[in-house]
Amino acid sequence: DHTDYLHDGHLHHPHDGLFHFVFARPEHAAGELAFVLGADVARHIDWKSLALVPGTYIDEALRQSESDLLYSARILGRETLIYLLFEHQSSSAPFMPPRLLGYMHAIWARRLREGMAVADGLPPILPVVLHHGATGWTAPRRFSELFVLPSDVRAALSPLLVDFGYALDDLTSPVTTDVRSRQALTTLVKLVLRMFQRARTSPNLVRDLAEFLIEMRELARTEVGLRDLRVALRYALVVGDAPLADLRRLAREAAGPRMEEDIVTTAEKLMAEGEARGRAEGEARGRAE
């Protein structure tokens, strides 16, 4: 149920919550996946067959910095899997290829345990990484880049070495700045990608989001769009450092007084939780002393 996003526990895991709220819905995931995979790959995929596969494969130690989704789609009538990993730590992960290989192995292992027939073959897995850290992605993009070998030795060993690449959407890269130019994306995804780009680092988040006022008003025309916009603005409140008065004004201009009231209510809840947490920590320190 996506309607509970950013309530209770999700207030404390906003990146993960917003990622799942948006990209666990095939109608929103399709455009982004097609963009990142590139036209040569995307044209082979039957995007109408895109369906979410339940489950997560994230290493327990990385749950604070990663989120994932697994999708199934058809290519020429046969199943292909698309594994979307959302990397929301501040820097790029230097050993991303072996990490992805571990997740892909876990996916295939589950299929084998479920009794997949040899004749069916393993379903291909297309790994996709979405990154919105504070700095650009500098990690190797192929597994073979991690092997430190002289060129002649690498050429001799390459038929025996593990190697694959992954598709990357680095939201901190200058070439990804204008997400509005990605024509296949839904209005919600364009707004959310801009929030991922700017919410943690922008000196004036409300000014950045005001550039999307037309898109926000478009969302506000339907009940589903209003819910989605409410979720997005709550994320901006939780993650960004925008003055509440400015965010209230933006919410009112985008969707009216009810949206402004929701922002105020969420802000009051956050302040109350912060005060309660501060009192609990103070009491704990007092007992320890």
Side-chain angles (χ1 to χ4, degrees):
D1 183 0
H2 301 300
T3 59
D4 290 334
Y5 168 76
L6 278 187
H7 286 290
D8 303 324
H10 284 111
L11 287 168
H12 308 296
H13 303 284
H15 306 306
D16 173 85
L18 184 58
F19 169 74
H20 278 91
F21 175 80
V22 175
F23 291 106
R25 296 149 72 183
E27 68 271 24
H28 294 300
E32 170 67 2
L33 292 174
F35 175 83
V36 182
L37 288 169
D40 286 346
V41 174
R43 66 187 178 88
H44 294 291
I45 297 174
D46 176 8
W47 292 103
K48 293 181 180 179
S49 69
L50 190 70
L52 186 67
V53 179
T56 180
Y57 300 88
I58 295 293
D59 187 297
E60 190 64 36
L62 297 171
R63 289 195 180 277
Q64 297 302 313
S65 61
E66 289 185 346
S67 309
D68 66 344
L69 291 167
L70 181 64
Y71 269 101
S72 173
R74 313 296 290 184
I75 293 181
L76 296 177
R78 297 186 66 85
E79 183 185 33
T80 296
L81 300 175
I82 304 173
Y83 181 69
L84 176 60
L85 181 68
F86 181 43
E87 184 78 13
H88 48 83
Q89 64 181 9
S90 59
S91 59
S92 57
F95 291 101
M96 178 55 72
R99 189 184 302 175
L100 284 170
L101 181 60
Y103 299 154
M104 293 159 67
H105 174 267
I107 295 168
W108 282 318
R110 175 176 291 184
R111 290 300 178 93
L112 292 172
R113 288 195 303 271
E114 292 171 350
M116 184 184 66
V118 175
D120 293 336
L122 287 174
I125 301 176
L126 308 179
V128 177
V129 175
L130 176 64
H131 172 64
H132 85 128
T135 59
W137 189 265
T138 58
R141 294 281 303 278
R142 296 199 64 84
F143 204 112
S144 58
E145 294 178 43
L146 296 172
F147 302 122
V148 180
L149 295 168
S151 57
D152 57 336
V153 175
R154 180 184 297 274
L157 298 182
S158 61
L160 303 176
L161 296 178
V162 173
D163 194 20
F164 68 92
Y166 55 90
L168 173 70
D169 190 359
D170 179 11
L171 295 175
T172 60
S173 169
V175 299
T176 65
T177 299
D178 186 15
V179 295
R180 299 165 93 175
S181 66
R182 303 182 185 184
Q183 297 181 357
L185 301 191
T186 63
T187 300
L188 176 62
V189 170
K190 291 178 182 179
L191 176 62
V192 166
L193 290 183
R194 174 51 60 89
M195 287 186 164
F196 282 154
Q197 286 177 320
R198 305 293 287 161
R200 293 194 297 189
T201 60
S202 174
N204 192 331
L205 178 61
V206 173
R207 181 187 62 196
D208 291 337
L209 296 182
E211 298 174 4
F212 280 70
L213 187 59
I214 292 175
E215 286 82 358
M216 288 190 280
R217 286 174 173 167
E218 179 183 333
L219 286 171
R221 292 173 186 161
T222 68
E223 284 301 315
V224 171
L226 273 171
R227 181 201 64 185
D228 292 343
L229 180 58
R230 184 177 298 113
V231 165
L233 291 177
R234 287 177 182 173
Y235 173 85
L237 176 65
V238 173
V239 175
D241 193 22
L244 178 58
D246 292 347
L247 195 57
R248 287 178 59 179
R249 183 171 59 254
L250 178 64
R252 183 173 64 251
E253 291 177 357
R258 286 179 57 191
M259 190 68 71
E260 178 186 12
E261 181 181 348
D262 182 83
I263 290 296
V264 173
T265 301
T266 303
E268 290 173 346
K269 180 176 182 178
L270 286 170
M271 287 187 287
E273 290 185 355
E275 292 172 0
R277 188 162 54 249
R279 287 195 300 269
E281 292 173 353
E283 293 171 359
R285 283 196 299 272
R287 288 194 296 271
E289 291 171 0

